[in-house]
Amino acid sequence: MTRSIAFPEGFLWGSATSAYQIEGAVDQDGRGPSIWDTFCATPGMVRGGDDGSVAIDHRNRIPQDVALMAELGLQAYRFSVAWPRVQPDGRGPVNQAGLDVYRELVDRLLAAGIEPILTLYHWDLPQALEDDGGWPARDTALRFADYAHAVGEALGEQVRRWGTINEPWCASMLGYAAGVHAPGRIEPGAAVAAAHHLLLGHGLAVDALRAAVRPDADIGITLNPYPVVTDRDDDADRDAVRRVDGVANRLWYDPILRGRYPDDVLADFEAVSDLSHIRDGDLAIIARPIDSLGLNYYRRHHVRFRRGASVGKPWGQWPGSPDVELVDPPGPKTDGGWAVEPEGLTEALVRLWEEYDPPPLYLHEIGAAYGDEPGPDGEVRDDRRIQWLEAHLEAAADAIAEGVDLRGIMVWSLFDNFEWAEGYAHRFGIVHVDYDTLERTPKASARWYRRVIQANGLPPAPDPV
Ligand code: FCB
């Protein structure tokens, strides 16, 4: 039975996407190549050899897609700007045709009464910058600030909500340590430097945006916290928990919210890096005040100690910690294979709130991969997604009841889309996309969500359809 829950007045309900996952049109507007174009073109990196060259062709369907958002009753829409559309080489003059794409999107959103939430970087680094070293190179952080300033100047009057970077943990550790995301490098020391430069780029971009956008702007970053747990009661396993929590959570929270790196994480990193990329003054920039903090939640990390666990993938996702392994917990899973763990969402929110005293929080992504397809009547009955979302809304409400200042929720994702290394195999959308015809069909979850938004809580009224 769903509990009856009223969310706080003014709670912001919306849905999220990112540029490379939906836009397609990789050769339009003078867009330059990104590291994801290159990664997709590298055999064996993306399931099925899929790529984002067409994706769901959102770039050419902005009017219809915004009309659909309005029909679904969204109050906000979180999207990202493709850096290589705005600066094809990642530096130098702005490409007006690229910027115009986002101007059109923002104008249409505002005309439809939908609040834009703009993320500057959701992983599509211009390839030219990767060729010059990518995020392990300090210059990339400086280039990111220039790009932030350019987008701020162009859209800073219209857009109030700004996010710098989406999930820097993924961008650094999956991209440069594990090598399972673009640019596919397995270089633990470089990953540690990439993490620092993503943080530095964030701080520099906060300054650049403040100088360019409206004074009442809300500027933040989007992190993906994981509660980290073990099912064993051993010192080595507890140390594995400490190490993974360090890289997944504290590596981001501490610099941004406290202006310092956690000592134990730096000590772990010393196995793979001399840390000379950290310069005097950097942490003060990284800790620039932010107005809100975005969080993405999908599941917990379950970990154990196992000697040499990440040998072969030399240092896995945890640079300096080769003896840590992630294990699959028992219990229900989504079709993407991720454990269903709504209590973890409450844990992540409460822990952050109580330990770090952050600014107001928003969930920038919660959602689940379920592969339901249209039935003979054309309806997509994704009841499992509705149950997943319901459980996670309850978990968010539990955190609010414990005092967490959570102000809004964006469901991942508005559309089925290109799910990175999984290609098109995992469907996260509340709107189904037929990848042959690109036809959009709202799923039962989209109609359910519209009624949640109308009710500002649970349970929503029954589906009249
Ligand atoms: C998050 C990403 C998002 C999407 C979801 C499933 O890590 O930010 O782009 O891939 O996972």
Side-chain angles (χ1 to χ4, degrees), residues 15 19 25 54 99 123 133 141 196 209 218 245 297 304 351 399 404 421:
S15 191
V54 176
L99 261 183
W123 307 353
H196 182 70
L209 286 173
D218 180 307
D245 177 52
Y297 176 80
R304 286 180 185 171
R351 186 254 182 124
V404 175

Side-chain angles (χ1 to χ4, degrees), residues 104 109 166 184-185 187 258 262 291 304 314 330 332 381 383 396 438 459:
E104 179 192 355
L109 289 169
N166 178 72
R185 287 164 59 180
E187 299 169 36
R258 294 181 177 159
D291 306 300
R304 286 180 185 171
R381 294 190 172 73
D383 297 340
L438 298 178

Side-chain angles (χ1 to χ4, degrees), residues 313-350:
K313 284 247 183 238
W315 301 85
Q317 303 155 24
W318 323 108
S321 298
D323 302 324
V324 160
E325 83 175 336
L326 294 182
V327 290
D328 251 346
K333 305 260 159 54
T334 68
D335 288 350
W338 292 358
V340 178
E341 302 182 297
E343 320 76 34
L345 173 58
T346 318
E347 289 160 21
L349 289 168
V350 170

